[in-house]
Amino acid sequence: MRIFSKKWVKVADGLHVMISNHFYYNDFGIRDSRETRYSGRRYIVTGTPGTGFIERESESHSYHTFVRKSVAAMKPTYLRFVLGKEPSFSKALGEANKALASTSDPYRRGLLESYVNALTVASKEERMQCVIRGIKDKMGHHSNKFMVSVMSHYKNKIRQLEHDMDSVIWHVKDHCSPQTFEAYCDAVQAFTRVASCRRIWFYDPMRRKSYSQVFFDMGVFDYIHHEAFLPVMRDPSGVHYYLLPDAMVVARSHVDFDVVPLKTLTIVSQELAIEEPNEALLGQMGDAASMIKIPEFNLNFYFNHVHAVVDFVNAVDRLKATL
């Protein structure tokens, strides 16, 4: 059990600083430091390094509540630190290596190998960021050329690590044909409009009258990289479904996941007419206008928009046609 949340470390000859032992939240490896496309949109870590989502603009009060809860769940506290409930690179590495040793699926193995390598690089960057913060705290508001030069040294090392990270992460575009990648980008763009729907509900047909509001986002799983991020659907039990060009990742955690070939999945949309016999269901969900079914996963999502949902399913069909 760790007790001390800070420690003294030597960062240069003649310079010792106090650095934090808490997990340092940043988006290293998630998006390029020079990237401006998602400027102003927070990356929110969800449980482990390399997995999270990008907060999107929304007028939905329930979505903002969901985001606040996600942020609060990851907030560093001394109690969470002592109990080992904060994210940790060392813990994530141990779990990933254990999962890698026990898997025989080549696709899953490839993702885990990439994840292990990415965690190794990212853990070095995290320590350097903590050192930089420690130097800034020690320097305060006073100018100190020596400390500034030391910080510049660590910032240069971080820039070098950015190149290392780019070489080890799993790039979506490197694992499919140009035709498939183009179709995937179209599907991703269509998904962003679905995620922006004002309300999304999940319906469990095994439990009648069980309707739960859920949220779709653009996210990242185990440092898998796509410049527009990965479409992620959620169900009420906490399972995340990430769309890749040729597969769907069904993630129960960062190491407990299945990779299901996209061609084996049936993804269909349906417009809901008011005269259909599910009027009672619609009455409880307000203005549901369409639905998406993925029967292989027993997923039933309802939406208050039609065109965005139909366009996304059609885009997925075009994507599957390239496989």
Side-chain angles (χ1 to χ4, degrees):
M1 176 185 292
R2 298 182 300 173
I3 299 176
F4 301 106
S5 60
K6 292 186 177 181
K7 62 182 177 182
W8 280 102
V9 297
K10 179 180 178 181
V11 298
D13 289 339
L15 180 60
H16 290 73
V17 299
M18 185 76 77
I19 68 171
S20 173
N21 286 326
H22 287 284
F23 176 75
Y24 179 74
Y25 292 82
N26 64 41
D27 56 5
F28 177 81
I30 303 302
R31 49 187 175 189
D32 193 289
S33 61
R34 297 159 295 182
E35 184 178 331
T36 59
R37 182 173 180 180
Y38 288 90
S39 177
R41 299 188 183 183
R42 285 188 296 176
Y43 165 62
I44 300 171
V45 178
T46 50
T48 186
T51 296
F53 66 98
I54 303 298
E55 181 184 12
R56 54 182 167 82
E57 296 180 0
S58 174
E59 296 181 357
S60 168
H61 173 74
S62 56
Y63 179 72
H64 290 302
T65 299
F66 164 73
V67 170
R68 285 195 296 270
K69 288 182 178 179
S70 299
V71 172
M74 295 293 104
K75 185 178 180 179
T77 65
Y78 183 70
L79 180 61
R80 295 187 70 239
F81 170 79
V82 171
L83 296 178
K85 293 185 177 181
E86 286 188 358
S88 163
F89 279 100
S90 59
K91 181 168 65 176
L93 267 169
E95 293 169 343
N97 277 311
K98 183 177 179 180
L100 180 59
S102 63
T103 188
S104 58
D105 178 74
Y107 204 135
R108 189 167 182 268
R109 171 173 289 276
L111 294 179
L112 285 170
E113 286 177 345
S114 172
Y115 185 45
V116 167
N117 292 332
L119 284 172
T120 303
V121 176
S123 64
K124 298 177 183 177
E125 189 274 346
E126 184 211 28
R127 183 184 182 279
M128 293 180 189
Q129 288 285 5
C130 289
V131 167
I132 291 173
R133 292 180 67 192
I135 296 174
K136 287 182 178 179
D137 291 341
K138 186 168 185 175
M139 186 168 57
H141 298 291
H142 303 286
S143 178
N144 184 302
K145 291 184 178 180
F146 173 61
M147 291 187 185
V148 170
S149 67
V150 175
M151 280 197 296
S152 296
H153 168 72
Y154 280 96
K155 289 178 180 179
N156 287 333
K157 294 181 72 172
I158 289 175
R159 281 191 284 270
Q160 293 172 10
L161 287 176
E162 288 179 348
H163 295 290
D164 295 339
M165 193 70 167
D166 187 64
S167 67
V168 299
I169 58 179
W170 202 91
H171 289 275
V172 168
K173 64 180 179 180
D174 295 337
H175 295 271
C176 60
S177 68
Q179 181 185 13
T180 296
F181 182 70
E182 182 179 359
Y184 177 71
C185 290
D186 291 341
V188 169
Q189 185 61 37
F191 180 85
T192 61
R193 293 188 287 272
V194 174
S196 297
C197 288
R198 185 162 50 87
R199 293 190 183 92
I200 303 174
W201 299 270
F202 174 86
Y203 172 65
D204 186 350
M206 303 302 294
R207 298 171 55 194
R208 294 194 60 79
K209 299 184 180 181
S210 177
Y211 317 103
S212 303
Q213 186 173 10
V214 294
F215 305 97
F216 291 3
D217 276 300
M218 301 307 300
V220 60
F221 176 70
D222 288 2
Y223 288 110
I224 298 173
H225 182 268
H226 178 254
E227 62 177 11
F229 302 102
L230 310 179
V232 53
M233 300 178 285
R234 304 178 177 95
D235 71 17
S237 65
V239 180
H240 291 59
Y241 302 83
Y242 297 89
L243 179 65
L244 296 179
D246 59 348
M248 187 81 79
V249 173
V250 183
R252 293 166 290 275
S253 76
H254 64 297
V255 293
D256 179 15
F257 62 89
D258 301 318
V259 182
V260 182
L262 191 59
K263 292 197 72 170
T264 67
L265 298 179
T266 305
I267 304 176
V268 296
S269 63
Q270 180 182 345
E271 182 176 355
L272 303 177
I274 57 175
E275 65 271 10
E276 290 182 2
N278 55 5
E279 183 178 353
L281 180 149
L282 296 181
Q284 294 193 39
M285 295 193 299
D287 53 356
S290 62
M291 66 181 298
I292 287 179
K293 279 180 171 285
I294 309 179
E296 289 81 3
F297 300 145
N298 198 31
L299 296 179
N300 301 273
F301 295 110
Y302 289 81
F303 308 84
N304 66 324
H305 288 82
V306 176
H307 295 301
V309 172
V310 173
D311 289 346
F312 169 64
V313 172
N314 289 339
V316 172
D317 288 340
R318 291 192 293 271
L319 171 61
K320 292 169 65 176
T322 68
L323 301 176

